[in-house]
Every structure is written in C-alpha cells, then in structure tokens.
C-alpha cells in the first residue's frame, strides 16, 4: 500500500510511459507543442493573425496621434505632411484588415475541414477549442475596425467644423460690408 502523504504516489521510472504522453487523451508517444492532434499549423496561423491585429492597433494609435498633432499645427507644409502620413496609415489599415479577414476566413475553412477527421467531429474538444479561438480573433478584428471607423468619423466631423469656421469667418466681413446695402434695399 502507498502512503499518500509522501511522494510515493509518483510513478517509478519503470512505471512511467515513454516520452511526454498525455494519459488523459490516451495518446502514446511524444507530444510537443504543435504536434497536438487536430491543431496542425493552427497555432502558427493564430500567431500570424495576432501579429496583424497588433499592427492594426499600432496603426490606429498612429492615426490618433496624427489627428491630435494636426489640431495644433499652424504651418501648411507641416499639415500636408501630417495629411499624407494619415492617408498612408489609412491605406495600410485597409490592407492589413483585408489580409486579416482573409486569414480568418481561411482558418474557418480549416476548422470545417478538421471536423471531417474521425476524432474531431463537431462538438469535440479540439473543435470547440479551434472555434473559440477563431471567434475571439474575429471579435478582436471587428473591435479594431469599429475603433478605426469611429476615429475616421471623428476626424471627418472635426474637419467639417474647421471648414465651417473658416467659411463663416470668411463670410462674416462680406456680410458686414453688405449689411448697409441690405438695410437700404428693404
């Protein structure tokens, strides 16, 4: 009988199965990192998508910073540089978002193909894990796109207000000079 209060409940070297075996799954052999059944190449794709999402986050912060910088710039040349940089960032965001979306669609297709394998049917642990990770990545992409659209709308609104102020201040002297003529005409 083994004493449960000591280390005797550990298996002896001759009792241990060979390699790094997952006894709960009933698998024999060495399972290292990506050699888990049902996850062939999955985690590499997830890492790539995470890098793309990080790139989107960085570009979004760059756009926010450029927008704030554009509010305090007074020189036309500096404003043109900021505008050019913002346009480049917007184009890059669009390109990275499309690439991320296509990689997520590919991941979804592979999830469906993985369900066709004998031990990874719909509802299996592997299927649930893959689906959960894919849904999380899709949600993160939607959040980034939503943040980008919100920022874009804010930039357009601010730009519209600036133009209205310029037009109003430009028309104000014209209106004041025309006021006596308007009063005399009526």
């Amino acid at each position: 009988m083994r004493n449960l209060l000591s280390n005797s409940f550990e298996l002896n070297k001759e009792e241990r199965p060979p390699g790094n075996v997952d006894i709960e799954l009933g698998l024999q052999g060495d399972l290292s990192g990506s050699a888990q059944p049902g996850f062939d190449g999955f985690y590499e794709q997830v890492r790539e998508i995470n890098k793309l999402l990080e790139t989107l986050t960085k570009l979004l912060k760059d756009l926010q910073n450029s927008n704030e910088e554009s509010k305090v710039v007074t020189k036309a040349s500096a404003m043109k540089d900021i505008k050019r940089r913002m346009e480049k960032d917007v184009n890059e965001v669009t390109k990275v978002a499309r690439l991320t979306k296509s990689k997520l669609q590919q991941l979804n297709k592979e999830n469906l193909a993985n369900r066709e394998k004998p031990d990874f049917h719909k509802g299996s642990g592997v299927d649930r894990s893959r689906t959960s990770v894919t849904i999380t990545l899709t949600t993160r992409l939607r959040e980034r796109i939503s943040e980008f659209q919100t920022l874009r709308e804010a930039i357009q609104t601010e730009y519209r207000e600036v133009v209205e102020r310029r037009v109003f201040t430009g028309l104000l002297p014209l209106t004041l000079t025309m006021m006596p003529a308007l009063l005399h005409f009526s």
Side-chain angles (χ1 to χ4, degrees), residues 27 48 53 73 86 108 115 119 127-128 145 172:
L27 301 172
E48 288 177 23
L53 289 171
V73 169
M86 287 175 74
N108 276 325
R115 286 182 183 168
D119 294 333
D127 181 55
R128 287 191 316 265
I145 290 173
L172 187 59

Side-chain angles (χ1 to χ4, degrees), residues 1-184:
M1 186 163 147
R2 294 186 180 187
N3 182 358
L4 295 179
L5 298 176
S6 70
N7 290 336
S8 65
F9 57 86
E10 293 181 4
L11 296 175
N12 296 332
K13 287 187 180 184
E14 57 272 356
E15 293 174 338
R16 289 184 191 161
N20 185 10
V21 178
D22 189 343
I23 297 172
E24 292 176 357
L25 286 176
L27 301 172
Q28 301 299 319
D30 186 24
L31 294 179
S32 58
S34 65
Q36 295 178 3
F39 291 104
D40 303 328
F42 179 74
Y43 290 116
E44 289 81 20
Q45 291 175 324
V46 169
R47 275 187 222 104
E48 288 177 23
I49 293 170
N50 275 327
K51 286 180 184 177
L52 290 171
L53 289 171
E54 289 172 9
T55 302
L56 280 176
T57 303
K58 182 188 174 298
L59 287 169
L60 184 66
K61 287 180 183 177
D62 289 347
L63 276 169
Q64 289 171 337
N65 292 338
S66 295
N67 184 41
E68 293 302 318
E69 185 180 348
S70 71
K71 292 176 184 178
V72 296
V73 169
T74 57
K75 293 185 179 180
S77 61
M79 187 63 172
K80 286 180 183 179
D81 289 340
I82 292 171
K83 183 178 178 185
R84 204 173 310 121
R85 191 172 61 216
M86 287 175 74
E87 287 175 358
K88 182 181 147 236
D89 286 345
V90 167
N91 291 336
E92 188 69 21
V93 164
T94 304
K95 190 181 344 177
V96 172
R98 285 185 180 153
L99 179 62
T100 306
K101 182 180 176 185
S102 69
K103 287 190 179 282
L104 280 168
Q105 289 172 340
Q106 179 65 31
L107 204 58
N108 276 325
K109 288 178 185 176
E110 289 179 16
N111 287 349
L112 292 174
N114 196 56
R115 286 182 183 168
E116 302 300 320
K117 294 179 182 176
D119 294 333
F120 309 120
H121 57 83
K122 184 175 182 176
S124 68
V126 170
D127 181 55
R128 287 191 316 265
S129 295
R130 289 177 69 111
T131 304
S132 174
V133 169
T134 305
I135 289 171
T136 301
L137 292 172
T138 304
T139 303
R140 286 181 55 205
L141 175 62
R142 284 185 184 143
E143 288 171 355
R144 295 301 169 274
I145 290 173
S146 176
E147 290 171 1
F148 173 72
Q149 288 174 339
T150 302
L151 176 63
R152 195 174 198 177
E153 289 171 3
I155 291 171
Q156 288 176 345
T157 302
E158 290 168 3
Y159 180 74
R160 191 174 300 120
E161 290 171 358
V162 167
V163 169
E164 286 174 358
R165 279 193 302 262
R166 288 180 184 165
V167 168
F168 182 72
T169 57
L171 289 178
L172 187 59
L174 179 65
T175 308
L176 292 176
T177 58
M178 293 178 57
M179 189 62 81
L182 290 173
L183 291 173
H184 182 38

